[in-house]
Amino acid sequence: MEREESDAALWLAAVSGSDRCFGDLMDRHRQRIYGTALVRMGDVHDAEDVVATVFLEAWRNRKRVRIVNESALPWLLTVTVNVSLNLNRSKRRYRRLLSAAPPSEAYGDPSEAVAEYLDSQARARSLTRAMAKLSRVDQSIVELVLIEEMTLNDAATALQLPVGTVKSKLHRARKKLQVDLGHREPPFRAVDGAQTTGGAS
């Protein structure tokens, strides 16, 4: 059986102009990116928009993508977090705009129905609400280390941060999540010193 090409090999070919290799790489990671986006957005269509934007950013920035342990996934997940945050911010602006608009006499004020829908999506997961209070960097660290179960070293490489910084930020983020979740332990496995090296489990 022919050995599957690594992400690094596919990305090198994509940078050289191979659309096929770029497409193969996107197909390889599409489901993981979609799953992460769906949890963050709470809506199928919004998640699909996030996936499309992530792949567009990947193509635009293909010469600057960081491959971690032969995988493009850490970089793609970091972009997914940022794109999701931007889209959620746009939705909040849209909701405020609707709330400020005068109601239509013919059809009534749609802002309440839209706001209720968006609020119901935001309440879908208490963890998502708690995560939203973290900084972008902290969200990316939690996403990579606690959710995707990558090593601290791999997350640090993907985010271009020192390992010690990632470890301390992760510790503080866990404490914040515990408080926002009513002092319950977030649904992640524990992270110990042994996870700072080696591949993701």
Side-chain angles (χ1 to χ4, degrees):
M1 179 179 291
E2 184 177 353
R3 185 177 179 182
E4 186 179 60
E5 291 182 275
S6 68
D7 281 10
L10 288 174
W11 208 278
L12 181 62
V15 171
S16 301
S18 173
D19 293 343
R20 180 194 64 79
C21 288
F22 182 80
D24 289 347
L25 194 56
M26 295 303 97
D27 288 341
R28 178 177 297 177
H29 297 301
R30 182 183 303 275
Q31 285 303 114
R32 292 285 293 279
I33 299 303
Y34 176 78
T36 298
L38 184 59
V39 169
R40 290 185 157 273
M41 302 307 302
D43 179 85
V44 171
H45 299 295
D46 286 342
E48 290 173 348
D49 288 343
V50 169
V51 172
T53 304
V54 168
F55 289 164
L56 178 60
E57 287 299 307
W59 178 252
R60 287 176 174 173
N61 296 283
R62 59 192 180 278
K63 294 184 178 180
R64 298 196 299 271
V65 170
R66 294 183 297 279
I67 303 296
V68 180
N69 282 344
E70 297 292 313
S71 176
L73 186 60
W75 187 87
L76 291 170
L77 289 172
T78 301
V79 175
T80 303
V81 171
N82 290 330
V83 171
S84 298
L85 288 170
N86 291 337
L87 184 54
N88 272 321
R89 186 181 298 112
S90 297
K91 289 171 64 177
R92 288 195 296 271
R93 284 199 298 264
Y94 180 65
R95 181 175 59 187
R96 287 196 297 269
L97 178 62
L98 286 177
S99 298
S104 167
E105 294 182 2
Y107 299 103
D109 183 4
S111 62
E112 184 175 351
V114 173
E116 288 179 358
Y117 171 76
L118 294 177
D119 286 341
S120 67
Q121 295 297 313
R123 290 193 302 268
R125 293 178 179 271
S126 60
L127 178 59
T128 301
R129 295 198 303 269
M131 285 276 287
K133 297 179 182 179
L134 302 177
S135 69
R136 281 177 183 255
V137 173
D138 287 353
Q139 288 191 47
S140 293
I141 290 172
V142 170
E143 191 77 46
L144 294 177
V145 179
L146 298 182
I147 298 176
E148 294 297 329
E149 299 189 356
M150 294 182 181
T151 67
L152 293 174
N153 276 344
D154 286 353
T157 300
L159 297 169
Q160 294 186 309
L161 293 172
V163 175
T165 299
V166 171
K167 191 172 184 177
S168 62
K169 283 181 173 292
L170 179 64
H171 178 74
R172 288 194 296 269
R174 285 179 63 89
K175 293 296 184 184
K176 290 178 182 177
L177 289 175
Q178 287 175 352
V179 171
D180 288 337
L181 293 172
H183 299 284
R184 298 187 305 274
E185 183 73 7
F188 308 125
R189 63 176 175 76
V191 177
D192 54 34
Q195 199 195 358
T196 59
T197 58
S201 56

